[in-house]
Amino acid sequence: MMALPDRHGFFGDFGGKFVPETLMAALDEFESAYKAARRDKSFRAELDDVRANYIGRPTPLTEARRFAEMCGAFRLFLKREDLNHTGAHKINNALGQALVAKRMGKKRVIAETGAGQHGVAAATACALLGLDCVVYMGEVDMARQELNVFRMKLLGAEVVPVSSGSRTLKDAINEAIRDWVTNVRTTHYIIGSVLGPHPYPMIVRDFQSIIGTEALSQLRKRTGALPNVAVACVGGGSNAIGLFYEMLKHESIRLIGVEAGGRGKNLGEHAARFSGGALGVLHGTRSMVLQDEFGQIAETHSVSPGLDYPSIGPEHAYLQSTKRVEYYDCSDDLALEAFHELSESEGIIPALESAHALGWLLRFGTGIERDAIVIANLSGRGDKDVPQVAALERGVPERAQRVERSSGDHDESG
């Protein structure tokens, strides 16, 4: 049966609340408000209405026949979270949390973002509900995701560049937490993944579990059967746990999470926590963390900004420790190959994050039994990644792109 956190927020050895005393009351307030909202019929009705008439749920289940032929001899269905309003699964959680924040009387929302999709989702939710929004984003990610930065500003959010550390998602979270500590009475922090102190991993998972609930129902209608395999990319892990959660109780379903293998196996060249990480505490939760021999948080790398993070959600760490979910990694090059192959074979441009799950299928799909039914979560669309991929194909190294853009030159001609 599926694992739930205990009353202290632990999934086995993972999870918990490791935060300054200043934030303990805010976490308790959020948990209480969320539990009350779940029992409230009016809240559930409002959430259902927003999902159907604003987000656009249920999202379709698309069979990808031509791409499946490149991978093996199975049937492949894509859960189309890319067709949500704002273009990714992130809106499921952002709107859910924003509704709870409004019930708590919070007027201001802060968020962190890597690939920009959670920032866009948070800004969208705040625009809809009339809340002030501030989004923290590393300068490296701002350079990689200029389109999403502009989208957030169009939606009325203030985007705060983060120049410390590696200037990526980890550092954006650090700055968001500092803001929250300072403004905790008026501000709610919408964490974008199944990360952070309890109750965030539980609440984000619950809001994202609609993905797997829909997928199982849709697949039964299409095929009359459960999937044999479900696969999703894993950064913090919200899209993956969203797909997996309702499937955990079905032991016949093989669950596969795919991390960012980056450009090599050495520390600093990837973001594969289960390949090179160790137990540690980061951003308020105990999980698997990439760290050096002195216990310092290591820098990470992925062609995909949404996977470029040194830790992983505690429930994923628990599921890996119990062997209920298998975790592998996919290199930058293989993800880029899958990015192109899905685009050309199915007319669907996937986010680079999602392309990691598809890359795993390209490499290892021949090991899946013939005529098996496979679901892959297409967590977002790739429009945001097209300029970055185009620059890479022009031979502009990612490091050069970052320098070029951070210096104020936004010319995409290379």
Side-chain angles (χ1 to χ4, degrees):
M1 186 61 183
M2 61 193 72
L4 295 172
D6 65 22
R7 64 190 182 90
H8 300 295
F10 280 93
F11 302 85
D13 294 330
F14 310 97
K17 293 181 185 178
F18 299 87
V19 295
E21 190 65 31
T22 314
L23 296 179
M24 292 299 286
L27 292 172
D28 291 342
E29 178 191 20
F30 182 35
E31 183 176 7
S32 296
Y34 169 70
K35 288 180 175 178
R38 288 189 65 180
R39 296 190 296 268
D40 187 332
K41 289 183 180 178
S42 65
F43 176 83
R44 296 200 303 269
E46 184 177 18
L47 182 61
D48 288 344
D49 177 69
V50 167
R51 283 171 168 171
N53 299 311
Y54 190 75
I55 296 175
R57 305 206 69 90
T59 55
L61 194 67
T62 300
E63 185 164 9
R65 294 180 177 87
R66 295 183 64 207
F67 183 81
E69 289 174 0
M70 303 176 193
C71 303
F74 52 83
R75 295 183 70 184
L76 174 62
F77 293 86
L78 304 177
K79 182 58 174 161
R80 299 293 305 280
E81 293 301 291
D82 60 312
L83 295 181
N84 281 323
H85 178 47
T86 72
H89 70 293
K90 295 293 187 181
I91 192 71
N92 302 323
N93 166 60
L95 256 174
Q97 282 199 50
L99 288 170
V100 176
K102 192 166 186 178
R103 285 172 65 97
M104 291 191 293
K106 305 292 185 181
K107 303 292 186 183
R108 179 176 181 266
V109 161
I110 59 174
E112 86 297 325
T113 196
Q117 288 300 116
H118 174 58
V120 169
T124 298
C126 289
L128 177 67
L129 300 178
L131 303 172
D132 294 334
C133 184
V134 177
V135 180
Y136 289 90
M137 190 172 191
E139 288 180 337
V140 166
D141 292 332
M142 290 182 72
R144 292 194 283 190
Q145 299 294 331
E146 289 177 305
L147 173 61
N148 275 342
V149 173
F150 188 62
R151 290 171 75 194
M152 286 181 263
K153 292 178 179 178
L154 275 177
L155 291 161
E158 177 187 356
V159 183
V160 179
V162 176
S163 59
S164 59
S166 60
R167 299 179 295 154
T168 56
L169 180 58
K170 168 179 68 70
D171 311 289
I173 295 175
N174 289 340
E175 292 303 317
I177 291 173
R178 290 189 184 100
D179 182 319
W180 195 27
V181 168
T182 304
N183 301 290
V184 67
R185 291 187 178 181
T186 60
T187 298
H188 176 67
Y189 179 13
I190 298 184
I191 292 180
S193 195
V194 284
L195 297 166
H198 178 71
Y200 280 100
M202 175 185 73
I203 292 174
V204 178
R205 176 200 68 195
D206 289 353
F207 283 133
Q208 294 294 1
S209 67
I210 187 68
I211 300 171
T213 300
E214 285 181 4
L216 287 176
S217 175
Q218 291 168 318
L219 196 62
R220 284 190 181 104
K221 289 178 181 177
R222 295 278 290 275
T223 69
L226 292 170
N228 301 99
V229 180
V231 58
C233 66
V234 184
S238 64
N239 95 89
I241 209 70
L243 181 67
F244 296 162
Y245 188 59
E246 289 299 319
M247 300 181 184
L248 289 171
K249 59 191 172 187
H250 299 286
E251 294 293 335
S252 64
I253 305 177
R254 183 185 178 195
L255 304 175
I256 297 169
V258 184
E259 300 184 279
R263 58 187 170 223
K265 297 296 183 183
N266 295 328
L267 199 62
E269 294 183 339
H270 62 85
R273 288 64 51 99
F274 292 126
S275 296
L279 187 62
V281 173
L282 180 64
H283 296 141
T285 193
R286 180 190 293 155
S287 189
M288 298 300 292
V289 181
L290 289 168
Q291 48 196 307
D292 66 20
E293 59 189 303
F294 304 107
Q296 298 299 305
I297 304 304
E299 291 199 7
T300 56
H301 164 78
S302 173
V303 71
S304 164
L307 304 184
D308 201 350
Y309 182 68
S311 188
I312 192 167
E315 189 164 11
H316 283 290
Y318 171 77
L319 292 170
Q320 193 270 345
S321 72
T322 61
K323 303 189 184 330
R324 178 61 186 94
V325 180
E326 303 167 43
Y327 294 87
Y328 302 93
D329 56 68
C330 170
S331 69
D332 286 353
D333 287 345
L334 185 55
L336 287 165
E337 181 182 348
F339 178 89
H340 284 285
E341 295 291 8
L342 188 76
S343 300
E344 294 175 15
S345 65
E346 301 291 346
I348 300 170
I349 303 173
L352 282 175
E353 290 80 10
S354 311
H356 283 70
L358 301 172
W360 185 89
L361 287 172
L362 274 178
R363 178 64 53 82
F364 298 106
T366 53
I368 296 173
E369 63 187 46
R370 187 176 187 83
D371 298 324
I373 297 171
V374 178
I375 288 183
N377 197 21
L378 200 63
S379 59
R381 60 175 175 247
D383 307 45
K384 66 183 180 61
D385 298 312
V386 169
Q388 181 188 354
V389 173
L392 288 170
E393 292 188 354
R394 291 197 306 271
V396 180
E398 189 174 5
R399 201 170 296 162
Q401 294 178 48
R402 297 175 186 179
V403 171
E404 172 185 303
R405 292 175 186 162
S406 64
S407 68
D409 181 1
H410 299 290
D411 180 10
E412 288 294 327
S413 65

